[in-house]
Amino acid sequence: MAYAKAAAVALWSYDTRSHSQPEQVALLHRWLSKQTDIADVDSVDSQVPSPTLWGRMADSGQYATATASDARFPDAFTDALRENPGRLTETYVYAVTVTGKQAIAWNDSPRGGAESRTVTLAVQCLPDHACALVGVLPAVAR
C-alpha cells in the first residue's frame, strides 16, 4: 500500500519550471517494472501532458504537489483473489486504488488550486524485491 501511495504521488506531482516533458516521462519510467512483458508503459506515459501542453504549462511556471491519503485493494481484486489465490503468484501484481489530493500552482499566482484525485494502479511486489509500478488502470476500480 505504501508503494502504491508513493507511486500515485509521483504520477500527480510535476514541475514544468525544472523538468521538460521528456524528463518527466523518464522520471516516471523509473517507477516501472523491469519486466517489459507486463509493464504498461503507455498507461504511465498517458498521465503526462503532451509536449505541446507541457510547453503551455511551462509558460506560466505551472507545478503540482500531491499527497496520498488512502490506499486499498478494490473489491473486484479481492473477489478475484479469493476465487483463485494461486493466480497472484504468477506475476505478483496487485491492483491498488489510491486517493489523495493534488495542489496546482503557477509562478505568478500566489494562490493555486487543489482537487481530489483517485487512481487505480497495478503494482508488482515480488518476494524479496522492491515493488514496481506495472501500469495505471484506465478507470478507477472501487
Side-chain angles (χ1 to χ4, degrees), residues 5-6 9-10 16 23-24 33 44 54-55 61 63 69 72 75 80 85 98 104 113 116 118 121 135 137-139 141:
K5 288 168 81 172
V9 167
T16 65
E23 289 171 330
Q24 182 68 18
S33 171
V44 172
W54 188 273
Y63 58 99
S69 55
R72 63 176 182 74
D75 291 340
V98 180
I104 300 172
S116 296
T118 304
L121 304 176
L137 275 64

Side-chain angles (χ1 to χ4, degrees), residues 16-112:
T16 65
R17 302 167 303 174
S18 61
H19 293 100
S20 67
Q21 191 266 4
E23 289 171 330
Q24 182 68 18
V25 170
L27 287 171
L28 293 178
H29 283 192
R30 292 184 193 165
W31 289 84
L32 281 168
S33 171
K34 303 301 182 233
Q35 285 188 257
T36 57
D37 59 323
I38 65 167
D40 185 357
V41 176
D42 291 342
S43 71
V44 172
D45 290 355
S46 72
Q47 302 300 302
V48 180
S50 70
T52 302
L53 180 55
W54 188 273
R56 300 295 174 268
M57 293 163 52
D59 290 344
S60 62
Q62 186 172 325
Y63 58 99
T65 58
T67 58
S69 55
D70 185 54
R72 63 176 182 74
F73 295 126
D75 291 340
F77 178 77
T78 55
D79 291 346
L81 192 55
R82 206 172 304 120
E83 289 176 19
N84 186 358
R87 188 161 187 219
L88 182 61
T89 60
E90 293 172 22
T91 60
Y92 292 92
V93 174
Y94 301 80
V96 182
T97 298
V98 180
T99 57
K101 289 210 179 283
Q102 181 188 52
I104 300 172
W106 300 264
N107 275 343
D108 57 356
S109 176
R111 288 197 251 166

